Amino acid sequence: MISTLFKFHGGVHPPEHKLESAATPIVEVPLPQRLVLPLRQHVGNVPKLQVAVGDHVLKGQLLAIADGMISASVHAPTSGTIVSIDEQLIPHASGLPDLCITLQADGEDRWVEHRALEYRDLPKAAVLEALRAGGVVGLGGATFPSHVKLREDAQHPVRTLILNGAECEPYITCDDRLMRERADQIVRGIEIMQYLLGAERCVVGIEDNKPEAAQAMRDACRLSSIPIEVATVPTLYPGGGAKQLIKVLTGLEVPSGKLPTEIGVQCFNVATAYTVHRFIHHGEPVISRVVTVTGKVARPGNFEVPLGMSIAELVQAAGGAAPESTGFVMGGPMMGFNLPSAEVPVVKATNCIIASAPDLFPPLPPAMPCIRCARCADACPVNLQPQELYWFAKSSNLEKARDYHLFDCIECGCCSYVCPSRIPLVQYYRYAKSEILAADKAKQAADLARERNEFRLARIEREKQERAAKHAQKAAGAKADVAGDEAKKAAIAAAMARAQAQKAEVVPQNTADLPPAVQEEIAGIDARREAVNEEKQEN
Amino acid sequence: MIAALLVMIVLALLLGLVLGYSALRFKVEGDPLVDKIDAILPQTQCGQCGYPGCKPYATAIASGEADINQCPPGGEPGMRALADLLGVEPKPLNAEHGEPKPKSTAVIDENLCIGCTLCIQACPVDAILGAAKHMHTVIASECTGCELCVAPCPVDCISMVPIPEKVSNWKWRYPVIELKQVA
């Protein structure tokens, strides 16, 4: 058992609303007819397409392969035919369409050939490569490709592996149910992760509002071949943030702009450990996930959903949305966003769908002016000065916002939650962050353009000089070669004389068989031509 | 008295030597101000400012020849950054040099292109690929949107297409509170 726990700064206690969906076991939803699989389901490069319209694919078959280091593959969640590859709405805060593969299920649900990986017999790099091809990404919500985080780094060895089962965000219970029902499989995944990272210590952090999950995990960990601790941490939002959980469990703070590995810690979601196990021990890539459906639905609960199923169908599986429901939120109430449509598909990042209604999430009253009460600073789990950041973001003073460590903000929403003036602070920070990132990109593009322009000018200058040098050389050569010219002319004259002589020797072959009269005529013509030529030469 | 004078003279000579040496040793190549200004300019190399590129415009600003409000691609933020750097008052962009436009890239209609290479010669960043009597095309990722290739094209096959908003370049909006009519 873990002896000491630490505290992170700030945090809030929003109403939990977990009981509605946590009571019932995970239900496997019936296979939908049509699946829409966005290529962009993770952080990093868009994977490369491996199929074309009309192809028949099997369950688990590769549809798009990871492109580059930070990327993840996409697989077919069931067998069927690719009916289209086009832009469709995806679950993204922008509400913009992106490239998606549409798969028409054939109902057979036939698996592609797949097998377990003897990971201990393989070099670690090969296992990581397999995870990259298996589409394994962090399922806590950030969807960062896991194979990158599982790399052993000689400079920063990972001493502590933390498994995040805190699930601090209200309404969401998918990790809770997963830990209660599939604890042994999660532990198998942790064993693989521990082996890959060479971590000395493994800790599972679970908030104390999930005693059943903690007990299940404790029982499963006892049977494990490696020592895994299970720690119950106090329920406090956002205790499930990676940096916050690391602080609570180890007392170590991840420095600003650094990765947890630099203090010897790596953190994964428990659902990620589960998918690692499914992939390594069963060869199953990430083609489904557990999603909490709650809010204004008839039967809130958790569902094992194939990726690509539309939200509307998923909500139907939960008994349908109540008539007063006005839309759907993906993620929790603190960090989630409104879906642009109910037709968007479930993706790897979809941990929770909340059917919202005005009485559940009342619209924000108009923001009042900031009164500098600094309650946001008290609540901020990363020790920022949200009120200052707000001023800078509001006035688009982006450099200053960056100086005040805007990029350490985890957008948890604690500041907006406690603000007595109801200022949508996080929206300001998101605006400022994306403006800064766009400006940085523009700066890079400008630097490249400058470099290209300078190179072009240098090239033009160089070509000019080369041409000038060539001309100078030619001019100098012309003067020096007068004597040489005479020799050349003589050679040309000799060659022409030889050609003349050859021409004279040639006798036309096709006149031999002609009648004498015609031959005479030809001879006459030749004679006249000779005479004319001679006349010409004399002239 | 003499001793004091001597000390002062020796000191003056010594310091003079040090200064003279450091002037040679730490000589700054080029004008650092020009580089600083050039770093702010958007490097479209479009020449809308009246100078044949961003660097010449930067040189002109540094020498006081040009004003800070002649760069439409840099827009208002660029002008503000220049004002900040030079310690002068910001002023509205000079409309004579054009209006800021949404960022675009040049697109060659490859069915119409006759392969004359005029656009290739006009491109300040070598972002057009092609050869004489062969089709040309724009390397979109390198195109700065300067529009310099549009005018030379004898068959008008180059158009400027604004960069569309995609998931990859989408930005969070500035928060606005919707006003609703209640009565």
Side-chain angles (χ1 to χ4, degrees):
Chain A
M1 277 301 290
I2 209 154
S3 48
T4 31
L5 288 176
F6 302 82
K7 266 187 72 80
F8 64 89
H9 180 266
V12 291
H13 284 285
E16 286 174 16
H17 287 288
K18 293 202 184 241
L19 294 176
E20 295 96 316
S21 58
T24 49
I26 299 170
V27 177
E28 201 157 318
V29 294
L31 201 64
Q33 286 286 305
R34 208 179 174 80
L35 296 159
V36 178
L37 297 147
L39 291 186
R40 198 190 299 271
Q41 294 197 34
H42 52 264
V43 174
N45 299 341
V46 178
K48 280 191 198 141
L49 271 175
Q50 297 289 299
V51 288
V53 174
D55 285 3
H56 186 267
V57 294
L58 297 174
K59 185 177 183 175
Q61 189 176 326
L62 188 71
L63 300 183
I65 192 161
D67 181 24
M69 192 57 191
I70 301 183
S71 185
S73 304
V74 176
H75 300 79
T78 183
S79 59
T81 316
I82 310 287
V83 287
S84 71
I85 297 172
D86 54 3
E87 296 218 325
Q88 298 193 41
L89 272 189
I90 61 164
H92 188 268
S94 66
L96 290 171
D98 201 18
L99 200 61
C100 298
I101 302 171
T102 309
L103 179 67
Q104 186 76 37
D106 60 9
E108 288 175 28
D109 207 24
R110 195 147 51 88
W111 267 100
V112 71
E113 197 185 324
H114 62 290
R115 58 196 165 79
L117 211 63
E118 288 301 327
Y119 67 96
R120 281 179 194 273
D121 299 342
L122 288 169
K124 285 182 182 175
V127 180
L128 293 176
E129 186 54 40
L131 284 171
R132 176 166 165 266
V136 179
V137 299
L139 294 183
T143 58
F144 189 82
S146 298
H147 65 93
V148 183
K149 283 169 74 181
L150 282 167
R151 254 185 314 185
E152 231 177 342
D153 185 352
Q155 259 190 330
H156 306 289
V158 170
R159 290 185 301 277
T160 313
L161 171 64
I162 290 180
L163 271 296
N164 189 341
E167 202 165 54
C168 59
E169 177 117 10
Y171 287 94
I172 310 178
T173 55
C174 57
D175 290 348
D176 182 9
R177 287 306 322 186
L178 194 75
M179 285 189 286
R180 286 198 217 180
E181 296 175 32
R182 301 175 193 174
D184 50 335
Q185 303 195 52
I186 294 172
V187 170
R188 296 287 92 70
I190 299 174
E191 287 164 2
I192 299 165
M193 289 176 160
Q194 186 273 338
Y195 165 75
L196 288 174
L197 286 170
E200 295 152 20
R201 201 182 143 206
C202 298
V203 193
V204 186
I206 303 171
E207 279 193 346
D208 57 12
N209 58 359
K210 291 180 271 294
E212 296 95 340
Q215 193 52 48
M217 285 301 290
R218 228 169 256 134
D219 293 343
C221 290
R222 211 167 293 132
L223 301 174
S224 170
S225 54
I226 55 166
I228 304 172
E229 301 159 49
V230 176
T232 43
V233 300
T235 301
L236 177 64
Y237 180 84
K243 291 181 178 178
Q244 284 65 40
L245 189 64
I246 290 169
K247 177 78 199 288
V248 169
L249 291 177
T250 64
L252 297 170
E253 202 162 301
V254 182
S256 168
K258 297 262 169 72
L259 293 170
T261 42
E262 293 178 49
I263 54 165
V265 184
Q266 190 62 286
C267 185
F268 289 96
N269 187 273
V270 284
T272 314
Y274 173 74
T275 54
V276 166
H277 155 75
R278 292 306 301 181
F279 179 71
I280 298 287
H281 288 138
H282 299 275
E284 295 172 11
V286 183
I287 52 171
S288 71
R289 69 156 298 151
V290 180
V291 182
T292 306
V293 183
T294 182
K296 296 285 179 189
V297 292
R299 291 190 299 277
N302 284 285
F303 300 87
E304 172 100 43
V305 188
L307 300 177
M309 184 177 189
S310 84
I311 302 293
E313 277 179 280
L314 173 59
V315 170
Q316 277 310 313
E324 71 266 31
S325 159
T326 50
F328 297 101
V329 173
M330 182 171 129
M334 300 295 281
M335 293 184 72
F337 59 91
N338 289 316
L339 288 175
S341 145
E343 293 309 312
V344 297
V346 168
V347 292
K348 288 175 187 174
T350 313
N351 48 6
C352 178
I353 298 293
I354 308 173
S356 66
D359 64 320
L360 213 57
F361 305 126
L364 270 185
M368 304 292 281
C370 171
I371 54 168
R372 297 209 167 220
C373 63
R375 262 201 234 174
C376 48
D378 290 339
C380 181
V382 264
N383 276 310
L384 294 175
Q385 296 288 311
Q387 76 281 15
E388 300 284 341
L389 288 172
Y390 162 64
W391 290 115
F392 297 138
K394 193 176 181 186
S395 57
S396 296
N397 194 347
L398 301 175
E399 273 314 302
K400 205 80 184 176
R402 198 205 295 254
D403 288 348
Y404 275 65
H405 304 285
L406 174 66
F407 280 91
D408 285 341
C409 167
I410 57 169
E411 301 175 22
C412 63
C414 289
C415 49
S416 308
Y417 183 77
V418 296
C419 180
S421 291
R422 294 281 167 242
I423 300 170
L425 292 162
V426 177
Q427 287 186 38
Y428 280 99
Y429 305 150
R430 283 176 172 162
Y431 152 76
K433 276 186 186 177
S434 61
E435 283 298 326
I436 292 175
L437 290 177
D440 282 356
K441 234 181 182 174
K443 178 104 189 89
Q444 271 178 13
D447 287 344
L448 185 68
R450 182 185 298 116
E451 206 177 301
R452 289 179 75 90
N453 181 243
E454 276 167 7
F455 181 82
R456 176 171 185 270
L457 294 177
R459 192 195 66 222
I460 290 172
E461 186 58 29
R462 192 191 67 213
E463 278 172 359
K464 214 158 130 193
Q465 278 174 7
E466 278 174 3
R467 219 174 298 131
K470 223 187 211 166
H471 283 314
Q473 204 180 11
K474 238 185 194 167
K479 274 178 205 149
D481 265 10
V482 180
D485 267 7
E486 292 298 316
K488 251 187 211 163
K489 268 184 193 158
I492 291 169
M496 275 170 75
R498 274 204 304 281
Q500 281 284 327
Q502 260 176 13
K503 218 171 160 186
E505 270 170 35
V506 175
V507 181
Q509 298 290 311
N510 55 353
T511 51
D513 301 334
L514 293 172
V518 180
Q519 285 201 3
E520 253 172 48
E521 204 180 329
I522 290 172
I525 291 168
D526 278 349
R528 280 204 299 283
R529 186 185 291 135
E530 203 89 334
V532 169
N533 278 349
E534 264 169 35
E535 214 170 287
K536 259 190 195 163
Q537 275 184 357
E538 274 165 28
N539 288 344
Chain B
M1 177 67 187
I2 303 278
L5 266 176
L6 273 178
V7 166
M8 293 313 285
I9 288 165
V10 168
L11 261 179
L13 280 175
L14 264 178
L15 291 175
L17 273 176
V18 169
L19 280 174
Y21 172 75
S22 41
L24 291 176
R25 178 74 178 74
F26 303 111
K27 191 171 175 3
V28 179
E29 292 290 336
D31 189 349
L33 184 60
V34 172
D35 285 338
K36 274 187 195 161
I37 297 171
D38 195 40
I40 292 172
L41 296 177
Q43 304 303 321
T44 32
Q45 318 292 353
C46 59
Q48 289 182 73
C49 50
Y51 294 87
C54 294
K55 190 90 179 218
Y57 178 43
T59 317
I61 295 178
S63 65
E65 210 179 291
D67 217 337
I68 56 166
N69 60 352
Q70 304 182 0
C71 178
E76 182 86 16
M79 182 275 299
R80 281 188 181 281
L82 285 177
D84 241 23
L85 174 71
L86 301 171
V88 296
E89 278 298 307
K91 50 174 91 175
L93 286 181
N94 189 345
E96 265 176 41
H97 297 277
E99 298 288 330
K101 285 183 213 164
K103 210 167 155 31
S104 329
T105 47
V107 175
I108 293 179
D109 185 342
E110 288 158 2
N111 293 320
L112 296 180
C113 175
I114 54 169
C116 68
T117 74
L118 288 179
C119 57
I120 296 182
Q121 291 160 36
C123 180
V125 289
D126 286 337
I128 302 180
L129 199 68
K133 291 183 184 163
H134 286 77
M135 188 186 71
H136 303 344
T137 196
V138 176
I139 309 168
S141 60
E142 312 294 356
C143 177
T144 65
C146 67
E147 305 190 6
L148 289 180
C149 53
V150 177
C153 180
V155 290
D156 280 341
C157 73
I158 305 179
S159 50
M160 300 304 297
V161 177
I163 298 171
E165 187 173 51
K166 297 224 161 188
V167 174
S168 49
N169 64 5
W170 175 79
K171 292 192 287 188
W172 284 91
R173 302 283 186 275
Y174 190 86
V176 281
I177 290 132
E178 274 177 59
L179 291 178
K180 279 184 202 139
Q181 198 158 4
V182 284

